[in-house]
Amino acid sequence: MDQNRKVHQFKNPVLNWIEFRLPIISYFKKEYGDYPMPKNCNYFWSFGALATITLVTMIVSGIFLAMNYTPHTDMAFDSVERIMRDVNYGWLMRYIHSNGAAFFFIIVYIHIVRAMYFGSYKYPRELNWILGVFIFLLMMATSFLGYTLPWGQMSYWGATVITNLFSAIPIIGEGLKTWLLGDYNVGNATLNRFFALHYVLPFVIFGVVGLHVAAVHVHGSNNPDGIDIKSKNDSVNFFPYMLIKDTIAMCAFGVAISAVIFFGPNLMAEVDNYIPADPLVTPAHIVPNWYLAPFYAILRAVPDKLGGVLLMFGAIVILFVLPWLDRSKVRSCNYRPIYKWFMMGFFVNFFVLGYVGMLPAEGLYLLIARVGLLYYFGFFFIITPFVGWIEKPNKLPLSISDVYAKNIAPNIGGGEKGIPSPAMQKDTNL
Amino acid sequence: MAKKPKNKRRDFLQLSTVTLGAVGTAAFIWPFLKSMSPAEDTLAAGSTEVDISAIEEGQSITIKWRGKPVFIKKRTKDEIEAAKMVQAGDLRDPQDDADRVQKEEWLVLVGVCTHLGCVPLGQKVSDMKGEYDGWYCPCHGSHYDTSGRIRKGPAPKNLDVPPYTFLNDTTIKIG
Amino acid sequence: MRLLFIICLFFSSNIFAAEMSSEKMPKHEWSFQGVTGTFDRAAIQRGYKVYREVCAGCHSMKLLYYRDLIDVGFSEAQVKVIASEYTVLDGPNDDGEMFERPARPADRFVNPYANDNEARANNNGAYPPDLSVITKARKYGVDYIYNLLLGYVEPPKGMEVGNGMWYNKWMAGNQIAMPAPIADGSVDYDDGTDNNAEQLSADVTHFLHWAAEPEMEERKNLGIKVILFFIILGTIVFLAKNRLWRDVT
């Protein structure tokens, strides 16, 4: 090897010793210390960090739960309750894990909303978007597998319904389903393999998250105005400027999730899952986890079994090609007067789909679900390409520092050299 | 002019942020580590009652207590004599036989070699009992006498005596 | 973000509400409600007596141990006596035979039936559900249980109640296989508390809620500390952030 390569020098000799052999210190310094963030980024840009924190929390709490969990149909339910009753802080670990899953989805949904609204999926971040959709898919699989483990009524029947989706595939469907279950019905073999997969998938997610982060660091983060960093003055270092904002976001998130974990730990749970699984009795309403409900609504809106399954998976797969459906060069919807409203309509529509996905599929609800389904696919296939073609975007600002000095700094009392503002004067009196 | 107090305040804020962050992280980790220590049901199952009426002189039984084997032996006259004859001072882990039993004929021991945790032989009539006619650990050759004291071999200590009480003449409660 | 969260909560609570029957579930006052609510130990002890004398004839509570009763104010000696009144099947002994012995505090609550099939056979084919986590396993939890126990009223005109079934206002489908379990005075209290049906139902519900969430007090206690921690840390970091970003132009 080239002994003359340039090696970073640090004050600490231990760091130097490591750096010379494995330049990991300078890597972290570059990627998480000096990494330039557009300085106009708002708190929407903290949700990636929040998602990472949640992922780590889920993995940690999951590992410790697994130490006390028994993946056997006769014992799974009791072992979960034993965790809640007899294991030291077991109730805390379990409530962190079960509510953490729901919050993970809330955070990732907001992260996706941010990426869509501000056009973070566009050139040159398409691969980054694709990796993100992969993470989302893996999360859905993991949460479905995990939901089976407590072996309550919803666990059992949820697993039954979802695995039956595969039987919709012509010819090989039934065989595929039996192969997935390892039995003719959801049984002990199923529970065991679901546990094994539920344990390993989060580490796969962690790996893809690593790629996702590495990819975004190549071209840098997007920002609310969707324009590129042009000079040094457009950005701030991640440390400490963005880290401190992420920490504030983390504290707000901490308050929100703690309120649920400690004061309403079963708010987001289904009561039926506290009834041990019974293969002979189906609960009156089988509902998915609420965070998967929009896709469930799409499934049920289609009167044909195979068609429903295809559209449901299609609803996710279509996200992969979004960067190529949207032909507009302008990233941020803030500068797209028409598309902006369709985009917001898409978010509302997704929410409505989730809402009806939790209700019985009949009458008005079914009708709403079908309208929602049409808008969902219409948004991608018709609205997005068409609006991109006819729309005349607003004029983009010259630079990020321009936007920052004009719109942001005065509001937070920053920019001492800038225009004095009332907020700033108040601050100096402190 | 206003610069100085501001910097001081920032130092204070930074320091408290880092301190609180460290405290918070530690407080977050603690429940997970604590969850690995024995659970309540494990602790509650820590006592066992044993009926000893069927044990003949010279016989011994093995029962499970906290997942470990416990030896309960009804000793013969000779064995009691042999145990009492020994001068405690000459032993590696000096202890009188009287300190190791509640009733002379009943010896109760945790059957785990104090060397590296194997279960010593000597419970069955056909077993090797070692040079001192008590127990012999097959793993690394420790010899225990008829009071369960270490006499030869690598083990540093006598076999443990678990906490136990005689509920009546025929029942022992261990733990 | 918090706004979004509140919206989510609002909608999810709506979802639950949407599945309600025509009549609203009446809410009862409980000491364990609210952020600082705690269990009423005396009520739990009375409720345990109701469970033991009324419910335990048919309903198991497999997840509880007798030792758990120490947490609600029974002394260790009392729990030993309570446990010893039950018989558990243990074994096999050295002769390979199962034997019966009095229960110990470390034993689980003894089941009224040997297995689920026996439970069904003795109850007209209806399985009396295990009550260990019953307040977590029913919509409206404690209020549902309380109202159900008191919900045995005359069926509306023209309604046929099936053979071996009873009309209950709050049961899904209004027909329940369990005859009214509680009436005024069906259990005598040692502490002189009035033993009317409402009191008995409230006490046994209190007991069942403790059984389902024995960690509740510890949970809320810790929760207040954790939330305070995040608020304090958040405030400090917020101040630090304002200082830091003031220099950004």
Short mmCIF file of all heavy atoms in Angstrom, two decimals, chain C residues 46-73:
data_model
loop_
_atom_site.label_atom_id
_atom_site.label_comp_id
_atom_site.label_asym_id
_atom_site.label_seq_id
_atom_site.Cartn_x
_atom_site.Cartn_y
_atom_site.Cartn_z
N ARG C 46 -61.24 -6.49 48.64
CA ARG C 46 -62.66 -6.87 48.63
C ARG C 46 -63.01 -7.55 47.31
O ARG C 46 -63.69 -8.57 47.27
CB ARG C 46 -63.54 -5.63 48.82
CG ARG C 46 -63.48 -5.02 50.19
CD ARG C 46 -64.65 -4.06 50.40
NE ARG C 46 -64.67 -2.98 49.43
CZ ARG C 46 -64.07 -1.80 49.60
NH1 ARG C 46 -63.40 -1.56 50.71
NH2 ARG C 46 -64.14 -0.86 48.68
N GLY C 47 -62.49 -6.95 46.23
CA GLY C 47 -62.77 -7.51 44.91
C GLY C 47 -62.24 -8.92 44.77
O GLY C 47 -62.87 -9.78 44.12
N TYR C 48 -61.09 -9.19 45.39
CA TYR C 48 -60.55 -10.55 45.33
C TYR C 48 -61.51 -11.51 46.02
O TYR C 48 -61.72 -12.64 45.56
CB TYR C 48 -59.17 -10.62 45.99
CG TYR C 48 -58.67 -12.04 46.11
CD1 TYR C 48 -58.47 -12.81 44.96
CD2 TYR C 48 -58.44 -12.63 47.35
CE1 TYR C 48 -58.04 -14.13 45.05
CE2 TYR C 48 -58.01 -13.94 47.44
CZ TYR C 48 -57.82 -14.69 46.31
OH TYR C 48 -57.41 -15.98 46.39
N LYS C 49 -62.12 -11.05 47.13
CA LYS C 49 -63.07 -11.90 47.85
C LYS C 49 -64.27 -12.22 46.94
O LYS C 49 -64.74 -13.35 46.89
CB LYS C 49 -63.54 -11.20 49.12
CG LYS C 49 -64.31 -12.11 50.05
CD LYS C 49 -64.35 -11.61 51.48
CE LYS C 49 -64.84 -12.71 52.40
NZ LYS C 49 -66.13 -12.44 53.02
N VAL C 50 -64.72 -11.20 46.20
CA VAL C 50 -65.84 -11.44 45.28
C VAL C 50 -65.43 -12.44 44.21
O VAL C 50 -66.15 -13.38 43.90
CB VAL C 50 -66.30 -10.11 44.62
CG1 VAL C 50 -67.44 -10.36 43.65
CG2 VAL C 50 -66.71 -9.10 45.69
N TYR C 51 -64.22 -12.23 43.66
CA TYR C 51 -63.75 -13.16 42.63
C TYR C 51 -63.73 -14.58 43.18
O TYR C 51 -64.20 -15.52 42.55
CB TYR C 51 -62.36 -12.76 42.14
CG TYR C 51 -61.71 -13.87 41.34
CD1 TYR C 51 -62.15 -14.16 40.04
CD2 TYR C 51 -60.71 -14.68 41.90
CE1 TYR C 51 -61.61 -15.20 39.32
CE2 TYR C 51 -60.17 -15.72 41.18
CZ TYR C 51 -60.62 -15.99 39.89
OH TYR C 51 -60.09 -17.03 39.18
N ARG C 52 -63.16 -14.70 44.38
CA ARG C 52 -62.96 -16.04 44.95
C ARG C 52 -64.31 -16.73 45.22
O ARG C 52 -64.46 -17.91 44.98
CB ARG C 52 -62.18 -15.90 46.25
CG ARG C 52 -61.62 -17.20 46.75
CD ARG C 52 -60.45 -16.96 47.65
NE ARG C 52 -60.80 -16.00 48.70
CZ ARG C 52 -60.43 -16.13 49.96
NH1 ARG C 52 -59.75 -17.18 50.34
NH2 ARG C 52 -60.74 -15.20 50.84
N GLU C 53 -65.27 -15.96 45.71
CA GLU C 53 -66.52 -16.59 46.11
C GLU C 53 -67.53 -16.69 44.98
O GLU C 53 -68.43 -17.51 45.03
CB GLU C 53 -67.12 -15.83 47.31
CG GLU C 53 -66.25 -15.97 48.54
CD GLU C 53 -66.81 -15.25 49.76
OE1 GLU C 53 -67.98 -14.83 49.73
OE2 GLU C 53 -66.06 -15.11 50.74
N VAL C 54 -67.40 -15.83 43.97
CA VAL C 54 -68.39 -15.84 42.90
C VAL C 54 -67.79 -16.32 41.57
O VAL C 54 -68.17 -17.33 41.02
CB VAL C 54 -69.02 -14.43 42.71
CG1 VAL C 54 -70.03 -14.45 41.59
CG2 VAL C 54 -69.66 -13.97 44.02
N CYS C 55 -66.80 -15.59 41.08
CA CYS C 55 -66.31 -15.83 39.72
C CYS C 55 -65.49 -17.11 39.60
O CYS C 55 -65.55 -17.82 38.60
CB CYS C 55 -65.45 -14.68 39.22
SG CYS C 55 -65.97 -13.07 39.78
N ALA C 56 -64.68 -17.38 40.65
CA ALA C 56 -63.69 -18.45 40.54
C ALA C 56 -64.33 -19.82 40.35
O ALA C 56 -63.64 -20.78 40.01
CB ALA C 56 -62.78 -18.46 41.77
N GLY C 57 -65.65 -19.90 40.58
CA GLY C 57 -66.33 -21.17 40.35
C GLY C 57 -66.21 -21.60 38.89
O GLY C 57 -66.17 -22.80 38.60
N CYS C 58 -66.20 -20.66 37.98
CA CYS C 58 -66.13 -20.99 36.56
C CYS C 58 -64.93 -20.36 35.84
O CYS C 58 -64.41 -20.92 34.89
CB CYS C 58 -67.39 -20.49 35.84
SG CYS C 58 -68.91 -21.14 36.53
N HIS C 59 -64.51 -19.17 36.29
CA HIS C 59 -63.48 -18.43 35.55
C HIS C 59 -62.09 -18.64 36.15
O HIS C 59 -61.88 -18.42 37.33
CB HIS C 59 -63.78 -16.93 35.55
CG HIS C 59 -64.98 -16.55 34.75
ND1 HIS C 59 -64.94 -16.41 33.39
CD2 HIS C 59 -66.25 -16.28 35.12
CE1 HIS C 59 -66.14 -16.07 32.96
NE2 HIS C 59 -66.96 -15.99 33.99
N SER C 60 -61.15 -19.02 35.29
CA SER C 60 -59.76 -19.15 35.74
C SER C 60 -59.08 -17.80 35.70
O SER C 60 -59.59 -16.84 35.10
CB SER C 60 -59.02 -20.12 34.82
OG SER C 60 -59.05 -19.63 33.49
N MET C 61 -57.94 -17.69 36.36
CA MET C 61 -57.04 -16.54 36.22
C MET C 61 -55.63 -17.10 36.16
O MET C 61 -54.83 -16.97 37.08
CB MET C 61 -57.20 -15.57 37.39
CG MET C 61 -58.47 -14.76 37.32
SD MET C 61 -58.59 -13.49 38.60
CE MET C 61 -57.81 -12.09 37.80
N LYS C 62 -55.34 -17.73 35.03
CA LYS C 62 -54.12 -18.53 34.90
C LYS C 62 -52.84 -17.73 35.08
O LYS C 62 -51.80 -18.29 35.42
CB LYS C 62 -54.07 -19.15 33.50
CG LYS C 62 -55.12 -20.18 33.25
CD LYS C 62 -54.97 -20.68 31.81
CE LYS C 62 -56.31 -21.18 31.30
NZ LYS C 62 -56.31 -21.42 29.87
N LEU C 63 -52.87 -16.46 34.77
CA LEU C 63 -51.61 -15.71 34.75
C LEU C 63 -51.21 -15.18 36.12
O LEU C 63 -50.13 -14.66 36.29
CB LEU C 63 -51.71 -14.54 33.76
CG LEU C 63 -51.94 -14.96 32.31
CD1 LEU C 63 -52.17 -13.74 31.44
CD2 LEU C 63 -50.77 -15.76 31.79
N LEU C 64 -52.10 -15.31 37.10
CA LEU C 64 -51.77 -14.77 38.42
C LEU C 64 -51.22 -15.84 39.34
O LEU C 64 -51.57 -17.01 39.25
CB LEU C 64 -53.01 -14.12 39.06
CG LEU C 64 -53.17 -12.66 38.68
CD1 LEU C 64 -53.86 -12.56 37.34
CD2 LEU C 64 -53.89 -11.89 39.76
N TYR C 65 -50.34 -15.39 40.24
CA TYR C 65 -49.81 -16.25 41.28
C TYR C 65 -50.39 -15.77 42.61
O TYR C 65 -50.70 -14.60 42.76
CB TYR C 65 -48.29 -16.14 41.35
CG TYR C 65 -47.55 -16.62 40.14
CD1 TYR C 65 -47.28 -15.77 39.08
CD2 TYR C 65 -47.10 -17.94 40.05
CE1 TYR C 65 -46.60 -16.20 37.96
CE2 TYR C 65 -46.41 -18.39 38.94
CZ TYR C 65 -46.16 -17.52 37.90
OH TYR C 65 -45.48 -17.96 36.80
N TYR C 66 -50.47 -16.68 43.58
CA TYR C 66 -50.96 -16.25 44.89
C TYR C 66 -50.04 -15.20 45.49
O TYR C 66 -50.48 -14.27 46.15
CB TYR C 66 -51.11 -17.46 45.84
CG TYR C 66 -52.23 -18.36 45.39
CD1 TYR C 66 -51.97 -19.59 44.81
CD2 TYR C 66 -53.56 -17.95 45.51
CE1 TYR C 66 -53.00 -20.39 44.36
CE2 TYR C 66 -54.59 -18.74 45.05
CZ TYR C 66 -54.32 -19.97 44.48
OH TYR C 66 -55.33 -20.74 44.02
N ARG C 67 -48.73 -15.31 45.19
CA ARG C 67 -47.78 -14.33 45.74
C ARG C 67 -48.08 -12.92 45.26
O ARG C 67 -47.73 -11.94 45.91
CB ARG C 67 -46.36 -14.71 45.37
CG ARG C 67 -46.10 -14.69 43.88
CD ARG C 67 -44.67 -15.00 43.53
NE ARG C 67 -44.54 -15.45 42.17
CZ ARG C 67 -44.49 -14.65 41.11
NH1 ARG C 67 -44.55 -13.36 41.27
NH2 ARG C 67 -44.39 -15.16 39.90
N ASP C 68 -48.74 -12.80 44.09
CA ASP C 68 -49.07 -11.47 43.58
C ASP C 68 -49.96 -10.70 44.56
O ASP C 68 -49.96 -9.47 44.58
CB ASP C 68 -49.81 -11.58 42.23
CG ASP C 68 -48.89 -12.06 41.12
OD1 ASP C 68 -47.68 -11.83 41.23
OD2 ASP C 68 -49.38 -12.68 40.16
N LEU C 69 -50.72 -11.44 45.37
CA LEU C 69 -51.64 -10.79 46.30
C LEU C 69 -50.90 -9.97 47.36
O LEU C 69 -51.47 -9.07 47.96
CB LEU C 69 -52.54 -11.83 46.98
CG LEU C 69 -53.53 -12.53 46.05
CD1 LEU C 69 -54.18 -13.70 46.76
CD2 LEU C 69 -54.59 -11.56 45.56
N ILE C 70 -49.62 -10.30 47.56
CA ILE C 70 -48.84 -9.52 48.54
C ILE C 70 -48.79 -8.06 48.09
O ILE C 70 -48.80 -7.15 48.92
CB ILE C 70 -47.42 -10.12 48.68
CG1 ILE C 70 -47.53 -11.52 49.28
CG2 ILE C 70 -46.53 -9.24 49.54
CD1 ILE C 70 -46.26 -12.30 49.27
N ASP C 71 -48.79 -7.84 46.77
CA ASP C 71 -48.71 -6.47 46.25
C ASP C 71 -49.93 -5.62 46.58
O ASP C 71 -49.87 -4.40 46.50
CB ASP C 71 -48.55 -6.49 44.72
CG ASP C 71 -47.26 -7.16 44.30
OD1 ASP C 71 -46.37 -7.30 45.17
OD2 ASP C 71 -47.14 -7.55 43.13
N VAL C 72 -51.05 -6.26 46.90
CA VAL C 72 -52.24 -5.45 47.16
C VAL C 72 -52.54 -5.37 48.66
O VAL C 72 -53.65 -5.02 49.06
CB VAL C 72 -53.49 -5.97 46.42
CG1 VAL C 72 -53.27 -5.87 44.94
CG2 VAL C 72 -53.85 -7.38 46.84
N GLY C 73 -51.57 -5.69 49.48
CA GLY C 73 -51.71 -5.43 50.90
C GLY C 73 -51.97 -6.64 51.78
O GLY C 73 -52.05 -6.51 52.99
#
